[in-house]
Amino acid sequence: GDAIHTRRSSPLVRGGRKFFLNRLVLLSLAVILVGLGVWTFFLIERSGEKARLSREAASAFENGHWERAEVLYEKAGDEGGMLRARAEILAVQKVIESQKESRLRAQPFYDSGKVRLDKAILDLYRAGADLSSRNKELRKAISAFTSAVTLYPEYGEAYLQRGFTWLELLEYEKARDDFGAAMNWIPSNPNVYYGKGWANLWLAINLRMSQGATPEMMRLGKIAQEMSFKDFTTFQQMPGTDPEKVVISELLLVYFKGDFEKAREISAAMIKAGGSHELIYYLHALILYGQLSRGKDVDRDELQQSLSESIRRRVNFFEAYTTRASFYMETQNFNGALADYIRASEINPTLA
């Protein structure tokens, strides 16, 4: 026992034990410091991650991506932000539901207007159709489409169809306005630009060819014509367009830009290719008539046949009858002119 005590009490043993204890203390301190460092690093990283998520959430919120903002706020632990995003989501859902309800209420009015418009257009192609109440039916269609857009102001298709109805009623400014409204809601529908092109073109023709047209009317007519060119050009560049309408719009652009020879070539090629639209034949006749008025050598039989073919395809073609009547007057076929004027007055008593 004395030997063991002596050995434990010896300076060497005491020094070794002290050294060992110091090393143990140092090691413990080192472990603690490393742990604190790791924890501090984790906290810093976590703080940075939260800050990044918060920034992304705020950006998503500002851009209206509410669902993404809600997820990011939740990951960032920002309950207030998450609740704000959720409130926006609920508000949007309420608007969508309200729009659906409005659309459902507007649908019967739209359907009624479309049926009336389709019948009025179909009557132009039907021999023996009673046209005495056609304008009245078109007015009822206008009323129905108006009810539809009143109940559902975002109803682009209703604006579009009301625009075509105004065209049938020869109310070109109102038609142009409705096509413009439709453009706000259904900008990818090519018929919006096709209809607006026709509205601007007819408005330009009426303004510039009216008796006693003032310089201001001529100026406005030129603007309307330029707008029609832009509308038809846009229509041609859009996907999903009717190929025959594309060619018709190209023909109109060429003709009203003054290249009558090229317009004549296009219309003749369309007829030769078996074009089915009555406008092809009517426009071909107008081109020939215009050249005849300018003293060009024109086949008068071809002109008359083109007008007659357009009437054969649309038996109640008011403009074709009045144009052919004018041609008959110039060629002194007074009986033919009288018959066409009478028929035109039956089709549209207010304009004949």
Side-chain angles (χ1 to χ4, degrees):
D2 291 338
I4 293 172
H5 177 73
T6 300
R7 192 164 56 248
R8 286 179 177 177
S9 302
S10 69
L12 184 61
V13 172
R14 289 199 303 274
R17 186 167 56 189
K18 186 175 182 182
F19 176 78
F20 175 75
L21 290 173
N22 288 340
R23 288 290 299 273
L24 185 61
V25 170
L26 289 173
L27 182 61
S28 299
L29 288 173
V31 171
I32 291 171
L33 289 174
V34 169
L36 288 173
V38 171
W39 179 247
T40 302
F41 178 78
F42 173 77
L43 290 177
I44 292 173
E45 281 291 304
R46 178 61 179 161
S47 177
E49 178 69 7
K50 282 187 175 182
R52 184 184 66 80
L53 289 169
S54 294
R55 287 194 300 270
E56 290 185 13
S59 176
F61 189 92
E62 289 176 4
N63 290 308
H65 303 147
W66 318 119
E67 291 85 355
R68 176 171 170 74
E70 181 186 19
V71 172
L72 291 170
Y73 276 131
E74 185 177 11
K75 288 181 178 179
D78 186 342
E79 187 174 351
M82 186 174 64
L83 291 175
R84 289 196 305 274
R86 192 170 295 168
E88 292 292 343
I89 292 170
L90 291 174
V92 170
Q93 288 175 345
K94 286 182 180 178
V95 170
I96 292 173
E97 288 301 318
S98 176
Q99 289 177 336
K100 286 181 180 178
E101 291 177 5
S102 298
R103 174 67 182 261
L104 286 173
R105 291 198 301 271
Q107 189 68 46
F109 293 99
Y110 173 83
D111 292 341
S112 173
K114 191 68 168 63
V115 168
R116 292 180 186 279
L117 173 60
D118 289 346
K119 181 182 181 302
I121 293 174
L122 184 61
D123 282 345
L124 295 177
Y125 297 85
R126 292 192 308 169
D130 180 10
L131 301 176
S132 60
S133 62
R134 183 172 185 270
N135 280 9
K136 188 180 294 184
E137 285 299 303
L138 288 170
R139 292 288 174 186
K140 289 180 180 179
I142 290 290
S143 178
F145 289 132
T146 300
S147 296
V149 297
T150 300
L151 289 168
Y152 182 42
E154 297 86 2
Y155 208 159
E157 191 67 29
Y159 285 111
L160 175 63
Q161 297 303 329
R162 192 171 68 176
F164 282 120
T165 310
W166 285 127
L167 276 183
E168 291 295 321
L169 289 166
L170 312 185
E171 298 272 4
Y172 302 124
E173 287 190 72
K174 292 178 180 179
R176 182 180 63 182
D177 291 343
D178 270 350
F179 290 128
M183 200 178 294
N184 293 327
W185 303 109
I186 48 174
S188 60
N189 189 325
N191 287 323
V192 172
Y193 301 89
Y194 187 71
K196 190 163 175 278
W198 273 109
N200 276 317
L201 184 59
W202 280 119
L203 185 60
I205 292 170
N206 281 3
L207 286 169
R208 301 179 74 176
M209 297 185 68
S210 297
Q211 290 185 348
T214 64
E216 178 65 10
M217 291 172 67
M218 296 295 289
R219 185 185 71 83
L220 293 174
K222 184 179 180 181
I223 292 173
Q225 181 171 301
E226 290 172 352
M227 290 174 66
S228 76
F229 292 167
K230 183 179 179 181
D231 292 328
F232 283 132
T233 300
T234 301
F235 168 75
Q236 292 172 3
Q237 296 170 349
M238 296 184 73
T241 54
D242 182 333
E244 200 164 58
K245 287 182 179 179
V246 170
V247 180
I248 289 172
S249 64
E250 176 62 23
L251 175 58
L252 290 168
L253 289 173
V254 172
Y255 177 74
F256 284 99
K257 286 180 179 178
D259 194 343
F260 305 116
E261 287 299 327
K262 185 177 179 181
R264 183 175 177 176
E265 290 174 6
I266 293 173
S267 60
M270 292 170 71
I271 291 172
K272 188 175 181 181
S276 61
H277 205 293
E278 68 277 1
L279 278 176
I280 296 172
Y281 297 89
Y282 179 64
L283 291 172
H284 184 64
L286 281 186
I287 293 165
L288 295 175
Y289 203 177
Q291 291 186 315
L292 181 64
S293 301
R294 294 176 179 84
K296 298 286 185 180
D297 184 23
V298 168
D299 187 337
R300 294 172 182 245
D301 288 338
E302 182 183 356
L303 195 164
Q304 180 183 334
Q305 288 168 9
S306 295
L307 286 170
S308 298
E309 181 62 22
S310 68
I311 291 171
R312 187 185 73 79
R313 291 170 182 269
R314 187 201 291 186
V315 294
N316 296 311
F317 199 160
F318 175 83
E319 293 83 0
Y321 276 111
T322 55
T323 303
R324 193 173 68 176
S326 297
F327 172 71
Y328 282 154
M329 288 292 291
E330 290 189 17
T331 56
Q332 298 186 355
N333 181 357
F334 301 119
N335 289 332
L338 179 61
D340 277 356
Y341 279 130
I342 291 173
R343 183 66 188 128
S345 69
E346 293 171 349
I347 296 171
N348 200 328
T350 61
L351 294 175

